Amino acid sequence: MGRRWMATVAISLAGLLALSACGDGEGGNDSRRQVAVFSWWTGAGEADGLKAMRQIFERDNPRLKFFDAAVAGGSGDQARALLSSKLNANQPPDTFQGHAGAELQGYIKAGKLESLNFLYDELKLKDVFPKQLIDQISVQGQVYSVPVNIHRSNVLWFNPSVLKAAGITGPPATIPGFVAALEKVRAAGKIPLSLGPQWTAVHLLECVLLGSLGTPAYNRLWTSGSDWSGPEVTKALTDFKTILSYAGDPVDDWQPAARQVADGEAAFMIMGDWAYGYFHNPPDGGLGKVSRTDFDWAPSPGTDGTFMWLSDSFTLPRGAPSRDGAVAWLKVAASREGQDAFNPLKGSIPARTDADKSLYKDYLKWNLSQWATSKLAGSIQHGVVANDNWRTAINDAVGLFQQDLDVADFQQALVEAAKNSGQ
Ligand code: GAL
């Protein structure tokens, strides 16, 4: 049964898939039952955390075998498209990664997920996850996923040597300061801002909207009847256009964009803190760079005091071929041990409030304290504030804007996207 999922994904996306953990899965002498775990954590920096949880899962469940059903591609745009077609065809994996918030609410409303209240009761999970996070993954008192982490979207990563050589004294705290710094880097002959595929431009957009509008106005964009047509949005989109004009040629994914910063080809990148795992983890998984020396970070310009959050969570799809195996996986993802193995490598902080804080050092220590004290805003690209319809429409609008750079058309497309989102 697990095989049906594996066979179909393998056939449908042959070249795109990184079915990395097949091993002796389909044949050989291994009689363990496979559990297909779907995510998009195949790349450098992404896969390390997953591997750490997998080791705990296989240690605790000798009769089960982890099957890595990950689909490559940062931010899961390819993965999420495939997942949606598999769910619609009632061919779910055993468990999949879904973002807490509007994205997950979409799966719940479509009836694709089993309630996990039984697991929350058994493991007393309501005592260890923040209430506002549980609200994001619940409908009518039923909880539908297990959040494994909290990621931060609004981070400005930079190369201190490149800034110094360009005569920039520190990371810019405001959008005008950012534009001035980008200009200095350009004059110094380096790439001012590294950029990857289209979704990284959407990621940039969410951070520029937050920095330009401020937190209350950004958060209002996602409430019903919100107004995307006003002059402050025009101003924010104009800021986005200016900042985008300093981006280098788009590279294939967020890792090569991060590498441009780490290697000193580029000065800045605005990216989520999965980039920390990539910069910092030892070679093989990461780049083995030294923080504050080879790379450094600050809140993205104009967003100090606000944490733009997202959370990776695992689900139990209705009709999971290996339901018991999926529940065993969810137990690891929910556990303190699982979260403390996963998050320091993933570049995220634990969703559980009782994690071992001593394991979170350097950037992660800073970020844990930010999480405790900041205002909150939700990510667009990573599933918090906009359902899949809305996010896809925003993505399309950004794609067109990258070609024609027409702010008025862009704003109109965003007005329409909000109106038609059905959210
Ligand atoms: C996000 C996901 C993160 C990270 C990132 C880059 O959507 O929540 O865990 O994987 O994409 O791929």
Side-chain angles (χ1 to χ4, degrees):
M1 292 268 283
R3 290 184 189 157
R4 189 183 54 168
W5 166 260
M6 290 175 249
T8 12
V9 289
I11 290 161
S12 62
L13 266 191
L16 278 178
L17 287 177
L19 296 178
S20 48
C22 294
D24 49 1
E26 291 273 27
N29 300 321
D30 194 339
S31 61
R32 290 178 294 167
R33 187 169 161 77
Q34 305 232 37
V35 182
V37 177
F38 183 92
S39 75
W40 50 88
W41 299 329
T42 62
E46 302 259 60
D48 290 359
L50 188 60
K51 189 169 156 205
M53 273 207 294
R54 170 198 178 151
Q55 282 164 352
I56 296 172
F57 172 75
E58 294 199 329
R59 181 202 67 198
D60 290 353
N61 300 283
R63 301 172 67 85
L64 298 174
K65 182 172 171 61
F66 176 98
F67 177 79
D68 190 349
V71 173
S75 176
D77 277 3
Q78 273 125 233
R80 285 186 267 180
L82 173 69
L83 179 67
S84 149
S85 68
K86 300 304 290 182
L87 292 178
N88 287 336
N90 295 321
Q91 293 174 356
D94 295 310
T95 177
F96 66 85
Q97 199 277 99
H99 290 122
E103 179 182 312
L104 199 89
Q105 300 280 334
Y107 297 128
I108 300 170
K109 283 182 197 135
K112 298 299 177 193
L113 301 180
E114 272 196 44
S115 161
L116 295 178
N117 279 25
F118 71 92
L119 196 67
Y120 273 69
D121 290 345
E122 181 188 330
L123 303 176
K124 303 201 173 9
L125 294 179
K126 286 201 174 156
D127 297 345
V128 295
F129 290 129
K131 170 155 185 335
Q132 78 270 26
L133 183 56
I134 293 194
D135 289 347
Q136 298 281 338
I137 54 176
S138 300
V139 169
Q140 293 174 347
Q142 304 295 312
V143 194
Y144 287 91
S145 72
V146 169
V148 71
N149 67 1
I150 305 289
H151 265 306
R152 176 178 179 132
S153 154
N154 59 323
V155 190
L156 178 71
W157 302 98
F158 59 95
N159 182 309
S161 312
V162 176
L163 263 60
K164 196 159 175 228
I168 302 164
T169 49
T174 62
I175 290 200
F178 189 33
V179 174
L182 291 167
E183 187 57 40
K184 284 187 183 169
V185 180
R186 176 176 281 169
K190 297 277 185 175
I191 299 170
L193 180 68
S194 67
L195 197 70
Q198 193 171 309
W199 73 263
T200 67
V202 180
H203 190 109
L204 179 66
L205 172 68
E206 69 186 32
C207 292
V208 174
L209 282 175
L210 181 66
S212 183
L213 294 170
T215 308
Y218 174 86
N219 283 338
R220 272 199 302 276
L221 291 177
W222 313 103
T223 54
S224 78
S226 60
D227 181 17
W228 283 75
S229 66
E232 65 299 333
V233 174
T234 315
K235 163 81 172 58
L237 300 181
T238 308
D239 286 340
F240 178 60
K241 176 176 175 174
T242 306
I243 291 167
L244 210 48
S245 73
Y246 290 96
D249 289 339
V251 290
D252 281 353
D253 211 331
W254 67 266
Q255 289 99 335
R259 200 173 323 118
Q260 289 181 327
V261 174
D263 291 350
E265 281 173 54
F268 296 105
M269 171 176 73
I270 289 184
M271 185 43 59
D273 50 10
W274 39 92
Y276 178 74
Y278 182 53
F279 285 133
H280 175 264
N281 290 353
D284 266 9
L287 295 174
K289 297 287 181 184
V290 178
S291 88
R292 302 291 194 198
T293 304
D294 299 330
F295 71 96
D296 206 343
W297 66 87
S300 66
T303 71
D304 192 13
T306 297
F307 194 118
M308 186 180 270
W309 72 278
L310 61 120
S311 170
D312 297 316
S313 73
F314 281 95
T315 56
L316 181 58
R318 277 187 201 283
S322 175
R323 187 181 182 281
D324 291 353
V327 171
W329 173 257
L330 294 176
K331 286 185 174 171
V332 175
S335 70
R336 185 175 137 147
E337 185 190 14
Q339 300 212 350
D340 280 343
F342 175 78
N343 287 302
L345 294 167
K346 185 69 169 62
S348 39
I349 54 175
R352 284 184 72 117
T353 50
D354 62 348
D356 177 357
K357 294 207 167 46
S358 71
L359 298 171
Y360 298 84
K361 303 195 169 82
D362 193 33
Y363 166 80
L364 297 170
K365 185 173 178 191
W366 174 81
N367 205 34
L368 261 181
S369 71
Q370 293 269 310
W371 174 242
T373 55
S374 300
K375 286 176 271 182
L376 296 182
S379 164
I380 303 173
Q381 173 60 24
H382 309 284
V384 180
V385 286
N387 63 16
D388 255 18
N389 260 346
W390 197 350
R391 181 179 63 81
T392 308
I394 293 173
N395 261 269
D396 292 348
V398 167
L400 279 177
F401 181 65
Q402 283 184 281
Q403 319 234 327
D404 68 14
L405 297 174
D406 184 320
V407 170
D409 282 358
F410 186 29
Q411 186 164 7
Q412 189 50 37
L414 295 175
V415 168
E416 296 294 322
K419 211 188 293 166
N420 300 329
S421 70
Q423 191 167 303

